[in-house]
Amino acid sequence: QQQVKQSPQSLIVQKGGISIINCAYENTAFDYFPWYQQFPGKGPALLIAIRPDVSEKKEGRFTISFNKSAKQFSLHIMDSQPGDSATYFCAASDRGSTLGRLYFGRGTQLTVWP
Amino acid sequence: DTEVTQTPKHLVMGMTNKKSLKCEQHMGHRAMYWYKQKAKKPPELMFVYSYEKLSINESVPSRFSPECPNSSLLNLHLHALQPEDSALYLCASSQDLRQSGANVLTFGAGSRLTVL
């Protein structure tokens, strides 16, 4: 059973547009929600993360929106650039649960056309 | 130094070979991880070491054998692998599993394994 559901599977956006990736979860014990960015041939890198006590977190062009009641969170990339073309994974963890486990979404392959 | 270094970058091996993947970090992290990633899929957790002790083994077949010689090094010994084991093997580290903050993982670039 997939703990974190991510959509869409792939996304094509024009340069300057807004990219939006959505994730949903069921386990109310989750208390940490990171987003990882992975370029071809590289390992995933932490992009931005949020805790459930805030509804939004912004870092530069990247924003996480969090809806605790709906158990959903999303990544918004403003002014998308070709260099943002990568695979994005949302994830969730419960700091009180089995140690060291992050539950990843299936990933979204983002392509930004110049 | 904020890197996790993995060697080799690429490895091709036959089903009867014995090989090892190596991972090194010098960030003072006390938790280290092995993940397996197939193309267009998320990373799948294999093993977790915390303070050089194996904390999690996600029911990984015994043909994969992890080893943590010290707090900076993590090895994955491979023996009698199958073609379906071909994948990108990622090492990661985090500061401490028991810290009150987030479990922030730093990943290496991975070792791409091909089993013939």
Side-chain angles (χ1 to χ4, degrees):
Chain A
Q1 183 186 358
Q2 199 180 1
Q3 297 270 357
V4 179
K5 294 182 180 176
Q6 183 173 347
S7 63
Q9 193 171 342
S10 63
L11 181 61
I12 300 174
V13 172
Q14 208 152 19
K15 180 182 174 183
I18 302 173
S19 304
I20 302 174
I21 305 171
N22 300 301
C23 288
Y25 65 97
E26 286 299 323
N27 187 345
T28 54
F30 286 152
D31 57 3
Y32 173 64
F33 302 89
W35 285 88
Y36 282 84
Q37 179 189 54
Q38 185 174 23
F39 293 105
K42 302 287 187 185
L46 179 66
L47 185 63
I48 187 172
I50 197 168
R51 297 188 194 283
D53 52 346
V54 297
S55 60
E56 186 175 282
K57 183 173 181 181
K58 186 175 180 180
E59 289 184 3
R61 296 184 294 109
F62 300 90
T63 300
I64 300 179
S65 296
F66 186 83
N67 185 329
K68 189 174 181 177
S69 60
K71 291 183 282 188
Q72 294 175 347
F73 58 111
S74 59
L75 176 69
H76 295 238
I77 306 174
M78 311 300 287
D79 187 27
S80 299
Q81 299 296 312
D84 298 329
S85 298
T87 300
Y88 292 80
F89 294 100
C90 62
S93 73
D94 163 19
R95 285 172 290 167
S97 78
T98 307
L99 302 177
R101 184 172 280 110
L102 261 184
Y103 296 93
F104 285 94
R106 289 191 187 273
T108 296
Q109 190 162 353
L110 171 65
T111 302
V112 181
W113 289 101
Chain B
D1 189 355
T2 56
E3 273 193 349
V4 174
T5 304
Q6 290 188 243
T7 56
K9 291 193 187 313
H10 300 276
L11 178 63
V12 179
M13 60 187 290
M15 289 191 283
T16 58
N17 292 158
K18 281 186 184 180
K19 298 284 185 183
S20 296
L21 306 180
K22 297 185 184 302
C23 174
E24 190 168 4
Q25 57 89 13
H26 295 289
M27 295 178 281
H29 288 177
R30 302 313 301 268
M32 296 186 75
Y33 310 72
W34 280 115
Y35 281 83
K36 173 183 177 179
Q37 187 178 30
K38 292 279 212 179
K40 299 187 187 299
K41 299 289 185 186
E44 296 173 32
L45 184 64
M46 300 175 72
F47 303 103
V48 181
Y49 275 84
S50 177
Y51 290 84
E52 294 112 74
K53 287 186 170 27
L54 185 64
S55 298
I56 296 177
N57 177 340
E58 291 285 87
S59 303
V60 178
S62 59
R63 56 185 185 267
F64 295 92
S65 175
E67 179 196 18
C68 189
N70 60 54
S71 61
S72 300
L73 293 174
L74 186 66
N75 298 321
L76 186 62
H77 303 297
L78 314 170
H79 174 53
L81 295 192
Q82 304 295 311
E84 59 264 29
D85 296 321
S86 298
L88 181 68
Y89 288 85
L90 293 162
C91 174
S93 68
S94 67
Q95 192 167 11
D96 188 317
L97 292 183
R98 289 177 174 80
Q99 67 175 1
S100 58
N103 189 18
V104 178
L105 296 185
T106 301
F107 283 90
S111 293
R112 184 158 300 282
L113 173 67
T114 303
V115 182
L116 301 177

